[in-house]
């Protein structure tokens, strides 16, 4: 892939993520290797996650960069990814932290009866076949008063892929009591470059039964 947009478009075409794992962190917002990019994502996570130590489920965690930031902020993290190579790298990155990384499907994570305060997902939901059904299942993994933190967007020009913010807010209506959208397109430090596509985060608190 020559750039991030092409990389994300290819996600819908059946990427071999084990083969991609070695170079995955080369993208600025994947590896968070540049101090300014890392600091920007850390600040966002701090604003999205609970102030107190919480149980965070990072679905489609990749090499674990966001999981690591959450763990560094005092949260207990469970990462899930379908690629064994990604899981291996995430486990190495999170070694010594209050974190576990599981091999499994983000749409149906293998967490048993465990429940979480936060379901954190970046650039995954849009690629799943039935996002409404997935959100309903993820809702069952949250404790009362828990929250979704979903980072999504729409990428590509000739064949754009993704999920627009207005559609995601509609999908969240049956499972969330409050929904807040934060635009991220105008913050080039997050991506290591200026972008002109739609990028955003949604923080949604689930309804308390």
């Amino acid at each position: 892939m020559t750039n991030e947009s092409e990389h994300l478009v290819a996600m819908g075409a059946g990427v071999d993520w084990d083969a991609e794992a070695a170079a995955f962190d080369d993208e600025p917002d994947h590896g968070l290797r540049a101090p300014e990019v890392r600091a920007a994502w850390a600040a966002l996570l701090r604003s999205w996650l609970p102030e107190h130590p919480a149980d965070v489920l990072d679905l489609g965690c990749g090499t674990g960069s966001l999981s690591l930031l959450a763990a560094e902020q005092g949260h207990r993290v469970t990462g899930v990814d379908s690629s064994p190579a990604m899981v291996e790298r995430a486990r190495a990155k999170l070694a010594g932290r209050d974190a576990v990384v599981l091999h499994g499907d983000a749409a149906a994570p293998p967490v048993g009866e465990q429940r979480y305060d936060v379901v954190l997902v970046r650039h995954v939901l849009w690629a799943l076949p039935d996002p409404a059904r997935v959100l309903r299942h993820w809702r069952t993994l949250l404790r009362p008063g828990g929250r979704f933190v979903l980072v999504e967007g729409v990428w590509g020009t000739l064949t754009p892929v993704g999920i627009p913010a207005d559609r995601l807010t509609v999908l969240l209506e049956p499972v969330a009591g409050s929904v807040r959208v934060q635009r991220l397109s105008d913050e080039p430090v997050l991506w290591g470059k200026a972008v002109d596509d739609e990028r955003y985060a949604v923080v949604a608190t689930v309804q308390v039964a």
Side-chain angles (χ1 to χ4, degrees), residues 32-146:
L32 308 183
R33 291 168 173 163
E36 65 275 12
V37 177
R38 181 180 178 82
W41 280 102
L44 281 178
L45 273 190
R46 192 171 289 108
S47 71
W48 297 335
L49 300 181
E51 294 182 3
H52 56 82
D55 293 307
V56 176
L57 180 61
D58 183 3
L59 297 175
C61 66
T63 61
S65 293
L66 290 189
S67 290
L68 178 58
L69 290 182
E72 288 176 344
Q73 293 176 14
H75 301 292
R76 300 172 295 273
V77 181
T78 299
V80 176
D81 203 275
S82 62
S83 161
M86 293 285 192
V87 168
E88 181 181 359
R89 283 165 172 76
R91 286 173 176 167
K93 194 176 290 186
L94 288 156
R97 303 288 179 177
D98 192 358
V100 61
V101 184
L102 306 175
H103 175 238
D105 183 0
V111 296
E113 297 300 313
Q114 177 67 33
R115 295 298 175 262
Y116 299 86
D117 302 301
V118 180
V119 167
L120 170 66
V121 188
R122 182 172 68 166
H123 300 165
V124 173
L125 181 64
W126 72 269
L128 300 177
D130 188 347
R133 179 188 61 80
V134 170
L135 285 170
R136 289 194 299 271
H137 179 62
W138 288 350
R139 166 65 182 86
T140 69
L141 304 179
L142 284 168
R143 296 178 176 129

Side-chain angles (χ1 to χ4, degrees), residues 4-6 8-9 154-161 196-197 199:
E4 183 185 21
S5 294
E6 291 179 8
L8 286 162
V9 170
V154 178
W155 306 271
T157 52
L158 296 178
T159 55
V161 298
D196 56 8
D197 43 25
R199 306 188 188 199

Side-chain angles (χ1 to χ4, degrees), residues 2-26:
T2 57
N3 59 55
E4 183 185 21
S5 294
E6 291 179 8
H7 187 84
L8 286 162
V9 170
M11 287 177 66
V15 172
D16 181 349
W17 288 111
D18 284 335
E20 293 282 323
F24 187 77
D25 280 352
D26 291 347

Side-chain angles (χ1 to χ4, degrees), residues 47-48 147-150 172 178-182 201-205:
S47 71
W48 297 335
R147 69 185 73 173
F148 292 106
V149 176
L150 309 174
L172 282 165
S178 65
V179 178
R180 175 171 62 89
V181 178
Q182 183 174 348
V202 170
V203 178
T205 304

